[in-house]
Amino acid sequence: MESGKKYGGRTFVTEVVMIIVGLVFLVPFYFLLVNSVKSFGDLLSNAASWPAAFEWTNYQRAWEITKFPQAFSNSFIITAASILLIALLSAMAAYRMVRHNSRFNKALFMIFVAAMVIPFQSIMIPLVKVTGMIHLTDSIGGIIICYLGFGAPLSIFLFHGFVKSVPVEIEEAAVVDGCSPYAVFWRVVFPLLKPMFVTVVILNSLWIWNDYLLPSLMLQSAEHRTIPLATYAFFGQYTKQWDLALPALVLGIAPIVAFFLAMQKYIIEGITAGSVKG
């Protein structure tokens, strides 16, 4: 009985601590939302206070200045195309490496793992030079290819561990039934990879949608600007239009936050299932 009381007390304390930690993490969202509807003077005078008057026109002006529909369309096309290529090609590559465990595939997998620790800042200049030589700069297709290259190592690593959990006997039974190697993968193996597939999609979506550095290097034209690049237009050398930048930030993060909240349950399921295998 006493152990039950102790356990109940610890559970209560843990829940209180987690609630406090959760509230701390929500503080930046409070500042973002509250200050996005303030006038510039009200924002500078007291950023933590409740708005004296709600300036909803901030959102309208931010929408117009950033040309939000075009920026949203660019971000959506880049993110959707990149994550689909990363997820599909990484799944196929990882499956091949696991099921055909040759020395070449082992070495190739180790190269992909090693690529995960290379800082992006160390290859920025070579990246710009190489993409410029092959005419991939200032191109939606070019930046999608770059995202595929940078996103593949981690995705292959995650799929590699998950594929090991798929019983080989299922594939052998499919081969006996007359399935070709491609049919075995797409009809038998790939449906079993759904938890990890969704996890890879979510993780890469959060990264690509919010990325600023690579688009700033690759995309120069105004019609190719993504949401982070469009938002940066409010930050000049001498002025920072916080009253317009904050509404633009809210508009930019709202779609990806909604997507994450709808799909977050698959993250822990997919990572846990893949990390304990092999």
Side-chain angles (χ1 to χ4, degrees), residues 91-92 95 99 159 162-195 197:
M92 290 188 286
Y95 174 75
R99 292 296 184 252
F159 275 119
F162 198 89
V163 170
K164 292 179 181 179
S165 67
V166 179
V168 182
E169 293 77 12
I170 298 178
E171 302 172 37
E172 294 174 348
V175 172
V176 172
D177 290 338
C179 285
S180 65
Y182 293 100
V184 169
F185 176 77
W186 291 111
R187 297 183 180 181
V188 179
V189 178
F190 189 73
L192 299 176
L193 300 180
K194 179 183 175 182
F197 183 86

Side-chain angles (χ1 to χ4, degrees), residues 70-126:
Q70 184 178 26
F72 177 85
S73 176
N74 292 336
S75 291
F76 180 80
I77 292 172
I78 292 172
T79 303
S82 298
I83 61 177
L84 284 178
L85 287 175
I86 290 171
L88 292 175
L89 295 180
S90 297
M92 290 188 286
Y95 174 75
R96 178 73 181 182
M97 292 177 188
V98 172
R99 292 296 184 252
H100 299 78
N101 198 19
S102 62
R103 291 184 178 179
F104 174 79
N105 284 337
K106 287 181 180 179
L108 186 61
F109 177 68
M110 293 307 300
I111 291 174
F112 278 113
V113 173
M116 294 167 54
V117 301
I118 299 176
F120 175 74
Q121 290 77 6
S122 65
I123 60 173
M124 287 193 306
I125 295 177

Side-chain angles (χ1 to χ4, degrees), residues 195-207:
M196 182 54 65
F197 183 86
V198 176
T199 301
V200 169
V201 167
I202 294 173
L203 294 178
N204 284 287
S205 297
L206 295 174
W207 159 49

Side-chain angles (χ1 to χ4, degrees), residues 54-272:
F54 289 86
E55 299 289 342
W56 298 109
T57 55
N58 290 351
Y59 282 87
Q60 179 182 355
R61 294 173 61 195
W63 180 284
E64 295 171 352
I65 294 174
T66 59
K67 297 180 180 178
F68 188 80
Q70 184 178 26
F72 177 85
S73 176
N74 292 336
S75 291
F76 180 80
I77 292 172
I78 292 172
T79 303
S82 298
I83 61 177
L84 284 178
L85 287 175
I86 290 171
L88 292 175
L89 295 180
S90 297
M92 290 188 286
Y95 174 75
R96 178 73 181 182
M97 292 177 188
V98 172
R99 292 296 184 252
H100 299 78
N101 198 19
S102 62
R103 291 184 178 179
F104 174 79
N105 284 337
K106 287 181 180 179
L108 186 61
F109 177 68
M110 293 307 300
I111 291 174
F112 278 113
V113 173
M116 294 167 54
V117 301
I118 299 176
F120 175 74
Q121 290 77 6
S122 65
I123 60 173
M124 287 193 306
I125 295 177
L127 174 67
V128 173
K129 289 185 176 180
V130 171
T131 53
M133 291 171 56
I134 57 180
H135 306 290
L136 290 180
T137 55
D138 200 21
S139 164
I140 298 295
I143 196 171
I144 290 174
I145 293 174
C146 292
Y147 276 128
L148 173 60
F150 291 122
L154 176 60
S155 301
I156 289 175
F157 176 77
L158 294 175
F159 275 119
H160 192 276
F162 198 89
V163 170
K164 292 179 181 179
S165 67
V166 179
V168 182
E169 293 77 12
I170 298 178
E171 302 172 37
E172 294 174 348
V175 172
V176 172
D177 290 338
C179 285
S180 65
Y182 293 100
V184 169
F185 176 77
W186 291 111
R187 297 183 180 181
V188 179
V189 178
F190 189 73
L192 299 176
L193 300 180
K194 179 183 175 182
M196 182 54 65
F197 183 86
V198 176
T199 301
V200 169
V201 167
I202 294 173
L203 294 178
N204 284 287
S205 297
L206 295 174
W207 159 49
I208 296 173
W209 183 271
N210 296 310
D211 187 31
Y212 170 80
L213 188 53
L214 184 58
S216 68
L217 295 173
M218 295 286 297
L219 305 176
Q220 287 84 34
S221 301
E223 61 269 17
H224 292 154
R225 290 191 306 181
T226 59
I227 292 178
L229 291 182
T231 304
Y232 190 72
F234 296 114
F235 299 95
Q237 183 177 1
Y238 301 105
T239 60
K240 294 178 175 59
Q241 297 175 283
W242 289 106
D243 56 327
L244 300 180
L246 294 178
L249 289 173
V250 174
L251 292 172
I253 68 173
I256 198 65
V257 168
F259 176 75
F260 175 77
L261 293 177
M263 306 295 289
Q264 63 174 334
K265 64 179 181 180
Y266 294 100
I267 294 182
I268 298 178
E269 178 185 351
I271 291 181
T272 342

